[in-house]
Amino acid sequence: MAGDARESYPDETVARLARLYREHPAWCAAAAIVDSRATSGVWFSHRPGEPWQLCREAELTILKPGRAPDPDLVFRFTPAAVEVLAQAGDEIGDFAIRLFELMIDPDPERHVGFRTAASFARLLRRGYLRLLVQGGGPRVALFAAGHGVRSLGALRRLIAAFTRLGPFDWESDAEGSR
């Protein structure tokens, strides 16, 4: 497939995450809801200084090397987090809740680093809210409410807080940054 870097993945964790985004039913369904221009910056805890980007090409979600030029979201995955995500069920809500749990997990071996890089308005235009409501459904709403996000205003404040985090040290291309 054009643009698919799967032949050049440096290890099984990166290759597995790429396969999940490209092939897993929940992940493919989620990608179909979000605008095709949506992109994410992706980092791996065990591969510091190596930026990756998640983007859509020809209706597929592709993980390819290099910094995302203007990402909506930024993630840092640990090998253990990728393993946990691989066990998520086939529904969008299964994946979403599992990801949210890992984003708040205090265990550094499982924690998924996360920040928003785009404005709330751009996230809204690109379909991320639609993904939460339509794809995640009541289970995601209950999970959010259990963590204090009970309204659109609360969601907006949470996204603003994740945006204010600014780039993490691990987003540096310098080898060894954390």
Side-chain angles (χ1 to χ4, degrees):
M1 286 165 247
D4 189 348
R6 75 179 115 162
E7 296 302 321
S8 63
Y9 294 132
D11 64 39
E12 182 52 34
T13 296
V14 177
R16 187 168 203 185
L17 187 68
R19 279 192 308 273
L20 289 169
Y21 273 113
R22 191 176 59 244
E23 300 170 2
H24 191 280
W27 301 33
C28 291
I33 294 171
V34 177
D35 188 288
S36 63
R37 296 170 297 169
T39 62
S40 294
V42 176
W43 300 84
F44 294 93
S45 64
H46 69 293
R47 302 195 68 84
E50 292 182 20
W52 291 78
Q53 59 182 294
L54 193 62
C55 57
R56 300 277 294 169
E57 292 182 0
E59 303 302 313
L60 293 173
T61 303
I62 304 297
L63 181 66
K64 58 187 191 179
R67 185 179 285 275
D70 188 21
D72 300 319
L73 308 172
V74 177
F75 298 93
R76 184 178 72 160
F77 295 98
T78 66
V82 173
E83 179 64 33
V84 169
L85 289 170
Q87 305 307 313
D90 289 344
E91 301 295 320
I92 294 173
D94 299 330
F95 161 71
I97 289 171
R98 190 64 52 100
L99 179 61
F100 297 151
E101 288 171 343
L102 292 169
M103 288 166 51
I104 60 176
D105 193 321
D107 180 351
E109 295 298 315
R110 294 170 41 103
H111 179 74
V112 170
F114 172 78
R115 75 175 178 89
T116 54
S119 69
F120 183 80
R122 185 166 89 182
L123 296 175
L124 194 60
R125 281 191 310 273
R126 292 206 172 161
Y128 292 98
L129 181 60
R130 184 173 53 246
L131 173 61
L132 289 175
V133 173
Q134 182 180 331
R139 289 180 42 226
V140 170
L142 285 171
F143 180 87
H147 290 86
V149 181
R150 295 180 179 89
S151 67
L152 187 58
L155 179 60
R156 179 176 273 210
R157 287 187 296 279
L158 179 64
I159 289 171
F162 277 120
T163 304
R164 281 192 301 274
L165 293 174
F168 290 104
D169 289 345
W170 45 260
E171 291 179 67
S172 168
D173 289 346
E175 189 65 35
S177 296
R178 294 277 171 178

